[in-house]
Amino acid sequence: MHWQMTRCEKFAFSKLIETAAPQVAIEIGTYKGGSLQTVSKFSEKVYSLDIDPDCKSQLGPLFPNVDFRTGDSKSMIADVLAEIKHSGMELGFVLIDGDHTTEGVRGDIEALFQHVPTRDVTVVFHDSFNPAVREGILSAAWQDCPFVEFVEVDFIPGVFHHQAFDTAEAGSMYGGLAVAKLSPQSRTGPVKIHQSQQGLFDVVYQSSCYVGKGSKSRSGWFKRFSKAA
């Protein structure tokens, strides 16, 4: 099984799900089962959502407590949440590591907002250092969900690939873990979107392969968002 996380990301991720100790977990983006081995270990039941139909045939025999679903995660989340509610079990952990476009990340987040928590829910995002993923996280309608208690985009900082590595092109920015927490209690004020390593992101971005791509500077967009948040 191939796990595309750095050592510090793996350690932090493992402690987050061990601490959450969920009855039910959702993993969006399973790939070759690297993170799933940890999610499965600390959860009673896991829903794996991935566009690759081979996930079930290749990984199913290894993870008997995982229900594999194939398709667009944004369209499947509602049914999965309804099944969890009907089962009487409690959702306690979500990994979002699927569609890495801005719209895909934002769509997964906002689909999750349909859930009314009965316990604390830890939501983890991988590749929060990637500009498109980061923008998806930052632009999600966090304020519209009354159960969002906390968002930290830079729980674990990401990685700058000076040279091409694995599936990452030279000058790309990947890795990093963002963490959010949903609580059964409705908050009384706005939620603060923390970006503890925004300065690092802005500096690295200027040397990245993303500069000049698109009609606007993502770095400038992040600065404006941070001031408004």
Side-chain angles (χ1 to χ4, degrees):
M1 285 170 285
H2 183 48
W3 193 353
Q4 290 183 309
M5 288 189 187
T6 63
R7 289 184 180 87
C8 58
E9 289 169 0
K10 291 175 182 178
F11 178 80
F13 182 84
S14 297
K15 293 305 292 184
L16 283 167
I17 190 164
E18 181 181 7
T19 300
Q23 274 192 308
V24 182
I26 298 174
E27 179 178 86
I28 300 174
T30 294
Y31 190 44
K32 295 184 179 181
S35 55
L36 184 61
Q37 60 188 325
T38 301
V39 177
S40 173
K41 177 181 178 180
F42 292 107
S43 309
E44 292 183 34
K45 182 178 179 63
V46 182
Y47 287 89
S48 161
L49 281 54
D50 200 287
I51 60 172
D52 185 358
D54 290 337
C55 284
K56 181 175 182 178
S57 60
Q58 294 177 355
L59 301 173
L62 302 175
F63 302 106
N65 65 331
V66 178
D67 186 339
F68 292 88
R69 304 293 175 91
T70 303
D72 180 8
S73 55
K74 295 182 291 299
S75 63
M76 293 191 289
I77 290 176
D79 288 340
V80 169
L81 292 175
E83 288 184 31
I84 295 171
K85 181 178 179 180
H86 181 73
S87 72
M89 299 182 75
E90 294 182 308
L91 178 66
F93 189 89
V94 180
L95 170 62
I96 297 180
D97 191 19
D99 185 343
H100 279 45
T101 66
T102 295
E103 295 74 16
V105 174
R106 183 170 58 237
D108 283 336
I109 295 170
E110 294 180 353
L112 184 62
F113 289 164
Q114 303 171 65
H115 178 62
V116 178
T118 55
R119 53 151 288 175
D120 289 345
V121 181
T122 301
V123 185
V124 178
F125 309 82
H126 188 224
D127 289 321
S128 58
F129 204 55
N130 176 265
V133 173
R134 193 180 187 91
E135 186 171 338
I137 297 171
L138 292 173
S139 61
W142 296 104
Q143 307 299 338
D144 294 345
C145 179
F147 306 110
V148 178
E149 181 178 321
F150 172 84
V151 181
E152 170 57 78
V153 182
D154 297 306
F155 186 77
I156 297 292
V159 177
F160 175 70
H161 294 285
H162 179 66
Q163 298 178 328
F165 176 77
D166 198 1
T167 59
E169 63 180 301
S172 61
M173 302 162 64
Y174 280 99
L177 296 180
V179 177
K181 180 181 176 183
L182 306 184
S183 171
Q185 293 78 35
S186 297
R187 67 175 187 279
T188 57
V191 60
K192 173 67 176 178
I193 312 298
H194 299 273
Q195 299 181 74
S196 60
Q197 296 298 317
Q198 181 191 341
L200 173 64
F201 174 88
D202 287 338
V203 169
V204 174
Y205 178 85
Q206 296 306 319
S207 299
S208 75
C209 64
Y210 309 104
V211 174
K213 293 183 179 180
S215 60
K216 65 181 179 181
S217 165
R218 292 187 188 275
S219 182
W221 187 91
F222 291 134
K223 290 178 181 178
R224 291 194 297 275
F225 184 93
S226 179
K227 291 178 180 178

